[in-house]
Amino acid sequence: MKITFNRPGLTGRELDYVTEAIRSGHASGDGGFTFKCQKLIEEALGVPKVLLTTSCTDALEMTALLLHLQPGDEVIVPSFAFVSTVNAYVLRGARPVFIDVRPDTLNLDETKLERLITPRTRAIVVLHYAGVACEMDPILEIGARHKAPVIEDNAHGLFARYRGRPLGALGCLATQSFHETKNFHCGEGGALVINDPGYIDRAEIIREKGTNRSRFFRGQVDKYTWVDVGSSYLPSDILAAFLYAQLECRDQIQAHRRRVWERYRDGLADWAAQNDVRLPVVPPHCEQAYHMFYLLLPSLATRQALIAHLKSHNVQAVFHYLPLHLSDMGLKLGGHPGACPVTEDVSDRLLRLPFHNELTDAVQDEVIGRVRAFHV
Ligand SMILES: Cc1ncc(COP(=O)(O)O)c(C=O)c1O
């Protein structure tokens, strides 16, 4: 039997709620389950507004529209990131300015931030890698001093904290993913988290095809019409119903993921020390989201050898994030080797182990045993 890297799970009442959404007569967007999910996240994060979206990618695109990004604007973004983290801004004609990451948490290196800011900098995008917070205090301070809004790509970090404050509630806008690989999922889904209330009205319009339909449904206008640019970024209530069942079980899901993460750490610590392998670093002031467990092998060759060794035993392990500045698009946009040395180094050496909500102790023990049998 193959041990897959991910497996989308069912935790609680997903299928009951999906049936309920359809039977309610409102299966399209902004139905009862959409509002329940949004309220749950708003309360958990202590933010004024959350809007469910069809993906984190779409929520990121909404942030670019909300900031009125134009050709010639610059957006600082880590090179060690997902394509959507940068594509959202390139779609509007903005130029990505790639920043390197810290060698410990693999998060944006705040000590390199200020020197990349120019009069054209319009946003700083941070990604809390593996659900471990970036150093948000200095990042927010630099952003505020240069009037550059900070956007959190919090795809990995829902319910994690930085110095006691929830991730997603720190920048002016943040984005979440509910893709099947995330802690909570509905197949494909996402959310835009709005901390600066000045963005709420326009975000509702952009999400509803550029119309003021949300205001119409609230009885604030007597007909709705085209008022701005926009697209169809709202998910059906069927997806929201599925997601709500997952979010309701968030304590149970997070407790399970914590256990998986800690069992990997405890089961691999001595093997890692003996084989020059680095395990994830979580600073004491960061409460992580237990999104993934990765290993940093000593070299590209040993990383590839471990992936092949695990594959030969039916265990699927994967790498993560090729440096964006060295991708085909990144090179066209001016990226070159050596521009982000830490990213280039860790990208070659990182390996992610199977991690999902249905991983049992027995299956995890099999993975740990196979890893331990590998000698660098
Ligand atoms: C950091 C990060 N941002 C954004 C995304 C895109 O998420 P979605 O698939 O919901 O669009 C991902 C997907 O894995 C991601 O890892």
Side-chain angles (χ1 to χ4, degrees):
M1 198 191 70
K2 188 170 173 186
I3 301 178
T4 55
F5 167 71
N6 182 54
R7 182 160 143 178
L10 283 172
T11 314
R13 305 176 64 189
E14 286 90 346
L15 302 181
D16 292 341
Y17 287 171
V18 164
T19 309
E20 199 180 315
I22 296 165
R23 295 266 182 258
S24 76
H26 185 129
S28 59
D30 275 344
F33 283 105
T34 305
F35 293 117
K36 282 184 173 183
C37 290
Q38 293 178 174
K39 188 158 178 282
L40 185 151
I41 303 171
E42 282 161 10
E43 286 175 2
L45 269 51
V47 298
K49 192 76 191 167
V50 169
L51 294 172
L52 287 196
T53 57
T54 29
S55 64
C56 184
T57 301
D58 284 342
L60 285 161
E61 288 181 20
M62 287 181 70
T63 68
L65 288 165
L66 282 168
L67 293 182
H68 291 284
L69 290 184
Q70 313 275 342
D73 291 341
E74 292 177 358
V75 174
I76 299 177
V77 54
S79 174
F80 191 64
F82 191 65
V83 282
S84 304
T85 320
V86 64
N87 242 341
Y89 307 101
V90 173
L91 267 170
R92 308 255 66 79
R95 189 174 84 83
V97 175
F98 291 111
I99 184 166
D100 209 355
V101 292
R102 297 165 54 117
D104 55 358
T105 56
L106 315 187
N107 281 330
L108 179 153
D109 186 342
E110 68 284 356
T111 64
K112 296 185 176 148
L113 181 56
E114 193 140 26
R115 72 185 79 144
L116 296 178
I117 292 184
T118 75
R120 284 199 286 269
T121 305
R122 294 293 319 284
I124 299 164
V125 183
V126 303
L127 153 54
H128 305 295
Y129 187 69
V132 176
C134 294
E135 273 312 320
M136 290 306 286
D137 280 344
I139 293 170
L140 290 168
E141 187 275 318
I142 292 168
R145 196 150 31 80
H146 292 277
K147 298 194 170 39
V150 175
I151 296 167
E152 300 174 76
D153 179 343
N154 196 30
H156 302 175
L158 187 57
F159 305 133
R161 287 172 179 265
Y162 170 73
R163 299 191 188 281
R165 286 128 66 195
L167 303 194
L170 303 170
C172 67
L173 296 164
T175 62
Q176 302 297 153
S177 175
F178 301 116
H179 182 262
E180 67 161 43
T181 50
K182 302 303 184 292
N183 296 23
F184 310 92
H185 84 100
C186 56
E188 300 270 0
L192 176 69
V193 179
I194 305 174
N195 300 314
D196 178 341
Y199 289 114
I200 296 175
D201 285 351
R202 208 167 154 250
E204 287 183 340
I205 289 166
I206 289 170
R207 177 168 164 270
E208 265 282 24
K209 299 103 180 162
T211 72
N212 54 356
R213 198 168 176 211
S214 303
R215 303 194 74 199
F216 170 74
F217 281 134
R218 287 197 295 264
Q220 293 166 330
V221 288
D222 57 7
K223 52 185 177 300
Y224 77 89
T225 183
W226 183 26
V227 293
D228 203 331
V229 293
S231 192
S232 183
Y233 291 131
L234 78 169
S236 105
D237 216 48
I238 299 172
L239 289 174
F242 191 103
L243 180 63
Y244 188 65
Q246 297 249 314
L247 291 172
E248 266 188 340
C249 295
R250 62 191 179 285
D251 292 341
Q252 176 193 329
I253 288 176
Q254 291 302 79
H256 175 72
R257 296 187 75 101
R258 178 179 181 159
R259 177 178 166 81
V260 170
W261 196 95
E262 290 177 349
R263 289 182 93 252
Y264 272 138
R265 180 197 57 195
D266 298 344
L268 293 173
D270 60 333
W271 168 86
Q274 283 152 20
N275 287 278
D276 196 19
V277 173
R278 215 206 73 189
L279 301 186
V281 172
V282 183
H285 55 280
C286 299
E287 262 173 66
Q288 62 153 321
Y290 302 100
H291 175 55
M292 72 168 88
F293 196 90
Y294 63 82
L295 307 173
L296 274 182
L297 276 291
S299 63
L300 172 64
T302 49
R303 195 268 304 267
Q304 296 305 89
L306 179 52
I307 290 180
H309 161 80
L310 291 173
K311 190 173 174 208
S312 72
H313 293 287
N314 285 323
V315 177
Q316 185 189 27
V318 297
F319 59 84
H320 212 198
Y321 297 154
L322 298 173
L324 287 173
H325 70 288
L326 298 182
S327 63
D328 288 355
M329 269 298 280
L331 292 171
K332 278 189 212 151
L333 291 162
H336 58 86
C340 296
V342 180
T343 300
E344 291 167 38
D345 175 45
V346 296
S347 165
D348 278 349
R349 299 192 288 116
L350 190 139
L351 176 154
R352 300 168 71 191
L353 293 174
F355 201 137
H356 55 79
N357 297 348
E358 301 201 339
L359 197 65
T360 60
D361 285 359
V363 172
Q364 190 183 14
D365 287 343
E366 164 85 10
V367 177
I368 292 172
R370 296 297 182 192
V371 173
R372 292 183 65 89
F374 179 84
H375 299 288
V376 172

